Amino acid sequence: MSTAEGEIGVPEDTNRRPPLTSLARRARYAFHQGSRVALYTLHSEAMRRMNRRLQKDLPETPKVIPDGPVPSQRRMLADIVRLFADDLKAVEDGLYPMPSDGTMTPRELLATSRAFFQDVPEVARRRATGAHQEVGEFAEDFAKALPRYYRQNFHFQTDGWLSEDSAKLYDFQVDVLFSGATAAMRRRALVPFAQILRRKDQRKIAYADIACGTGGLLRPALAAFPRLKGTGLDLSEPYLTVARDRIRSRRASYVTAMAEDLPFANDSLDVVSCVFLFHELPPKIRRQVIAEVARVLKPGGSFLFVDSLQTGDVPDYDGLLSVFPQLFHEPYYTSYLNEDLTGLCAAQGLSETWMTPAFVSRAAEFVKPH
């Protein structure tokens, strides 16, 4: 074939069907995620019915009035489907393997479901009475040493972040809130992570996930990148205990520390990630965390960020975001909604190179210049 003929090429068959392996993969993914959405939607509906009954015997709470538009259920479902489509595309593009989130045994699922419903009345009571300081009653030494802003019943959940019972239930509670889409939102951080590792040797990457909780991002990151080592950092010893139990990998290590005082040397990490941390920090602490991330990143290193949408990211969600801190104890959420994260990071020398909305979250990458 001559060069001229080669430039013309063969027209692409746009009607060509995907191979059977791809169809099988898509069917498996759709069944898995669809089952999760159904499971957590059923729990959400049952919780709403319980709350309606409980409210008859609880103090009346002020009516919540959105400050802006609120998406319809159809719109939210469409955005969940779009999130899953992006997640599946990343799998098909080879960025990370088929997800395995939500693989509880029937016995584990039953026990977790029972614990969830047992806690619903306690959450309803705290919401109705405004009780969010019950964790202050903890006598454990580790709790007394924690920052004051941290020792609260965030989300009105029992024990806040300060017990293994809370840690074992937390991911289930969040998935009920977000209809089973939480893990897919977290995995948005793996997209830039995969691009980074295509350019570098996984074995030489120094990586830390700050505020790792029970390992919601650390676990899929280590599963996706089999030669990567990672350090999970969190303030809650009970949550780290659960993370150790769930992540059975020698490539994972853990440290109990504050994100605003990272125990890493200057210019020592290639990648730092955090998921759903910043909306639970006071404004002053957010700035300290960003400064610490900038300090510990190597030149050319990346800060991978996933958190709630902010006002204006997706205008149709602005009203829903405004009522969230009223429905759940989130004392710093309102200030987060209008925080200039891009500007705060730029002030510390971190440039935003990528940002995308993902259902009710935003995922971004910030890079430290060489």
Side-chain angles (χ1 to χ4, degrees):
M1 179 183 291
S2 68
T3 301
E5 290 172 333
E7 290 174 350
I8 296 173
V10 178
E12 183 180 355
D13 181 4
T14 57
N15 294 318
R16 185 171 50 194
R17 294 180 179 178
L20 290 177
T21 53
S22 179
L23 290 173
R25 183 191 303 114
R26 294 176 186 180
R28 189 165 73 253
Y29 181 93
F31 176 79
H32 179 66
Q33 298 299 343
S35 299
R36 283 173 54 79
V37 170
L39 170 70
Y40 293 112
T41 299
L42 286 172
H43 277 78
S44 178
E45 180 58 30
M47 178 181 66
R48 277 195 287 269
R49 293 183 180 184
M50 285 183 66
N51 280 326
R52 282 198 294 268
R53 293 195 300 268
L54 291 165
Q55 285 169 3
K56 297 177 182 178
D57 300 318
L58 291 171
E60 186 175 353
T61 56
K63 186 176 181 180
V64 176
I65 302 175
D67 183 16
V70 175
S72 65
Q73 287 187 334
R74 178 177 293 183
R75 167 63 189 275
M76 295 180 72
L77 180 59
D79 286 342
I80 292 175
V81 171
R82 187 175 297 110
L83 170 68
F84 287 154
D86 291 339
D87 191 37
L88 178 58
K89 184 177 186 304
V91 172
E92 293 183 326
D93 289 345
L95 299 183
Y96 48 81
M98 182 73 76
S100 59
D101 40 86
T103 52
M104 287 188 286
T105 66
R107 177 177 293 182
E108 290 171 335
L109 176 58
L110 182 61
T112 305
S113 177
R114 183 183 296 115
F116 171 80
F117 286 120
Q118 287 175 345
D119 197 45
V120 167
E122 290 300 303
V123 173
R125 173 185 60 79
R126 294 189 192 96
R127 180 179 291 114
T129 61
H132 53 76
Q133 298 295 329
E134 294 178 357
V135 295
E137 300 171 6
F138 272 74
E140 287 86 345
D141 289 338
F142 85 90
K144 293 179 180 178
L146 295 173
R148 180 67 189 83
Y149 73 82
Y150 190 80
R151 288 182 281 124
Q152 303 186 52
N153 293 78
F154 286 95
H155 313 158
F156 293 116
Q157 69 187 43
T158 300
D159 299 342
W161 312 127
L162 305 184
S163 75
E164 286 189 33
D165 287 340
S166 165
K168 291 175 181 177
L169 193 54
Y170 171 75
D171 291 306
F172 195 91
Q173 290 173 318
V174 174
D175 263 323
V176 171
L177 179 63
F178 296 133
S179 302
T182 316
M185 290 190 285
R186 290 190 183 112
R187 281 193 295 273
R188 290 292 83 199
L190 298 185
V191 173
F193 208 159
Q195 301 294 350
I196 292 167
L197 295 182
R198 284 181 171 180
R199 305 189 300 265
K200 299 182 179 181
D201 187 341
Q202 293 182 21
R203 296 168 297 182
K204 298 179 180 179
I205 294 293
Y207 165 54
D209 184 38
I210 62 176
C212 70
T214 60
L217 180 62
L218 183 62
R219 183 180 182 180
L222 296 181
F225 313 124
R227 296 184 178 182
L228 178 72
K229 294 181 180 179
T231 299
L233 179 146
D234 203 276
L235 257 179
S236 174
E237 292 181 7
Y239 272 63
L240 288 178
T241 297
V242 173
R244 290 186 182 95
D245 183 61
R246 291 180 177 177
I247 307 175
R248 301 297 181 94
S249 173
R250 295 181 179 179
R251 293 180 288 120
S253 58
Y254 304 91
V255 59
T256 306
M258 297 188 295
E260 60 267 38
D261 187 19
L262 295 175
F264 305 113
N266 294 353
D267 304 328
S268 61
L269 299 178
D270 296 282
V271 178
V272 173
S273 62
C274 75
V275 178
F276 299 134
L277 166 65
F278 272 53
H279 75 272
E280 292 179 342
L281 296 175
K284 177 182 177 181
I285 304 301
R286 285 185 207 124
R287 287 151 176 79
Q288 293 175 3
V289 172
I290 292 172
E292 279 292 274
V293 170
R295 177 184 66 81
V296 302
L297 276 177
K298 296 177 182 178
S302 290
F303 175 36
L304 306 181
F305 175 97
V306 178
D307 212 306
S308 164
L309 289 173
Q310 292 185 288
T311 301
D313 284 343
V314 182
D316 288 348
Y317 278 77
D318 285 353
L320 181 64
L321 300 177
S322 73
V323 302
F324 187 75
Q326 302 174 58
L327 298 174
F328 305 92
H329 179 58
E330 290 283 11
Y332 314 113
Y333 189 85
T334 299
S335 68
Y336 166 84
L337 289 178
N338 295 297
E339 190 76 271
D340 181 10
L341 295 174
T342 302
L344 291 179
C345 287
Q348 295 296 332
L350 303 176
S351 300
E352 184 179 277
T353 59
W354 174 77
M355 194 285 282
T356 183
F359 184 32
V360 292
S361 70
R362 59 166 17 227
E365 179 183 19
F366 300 89
V367 176
K368 183 174 179 178
H370 288 281

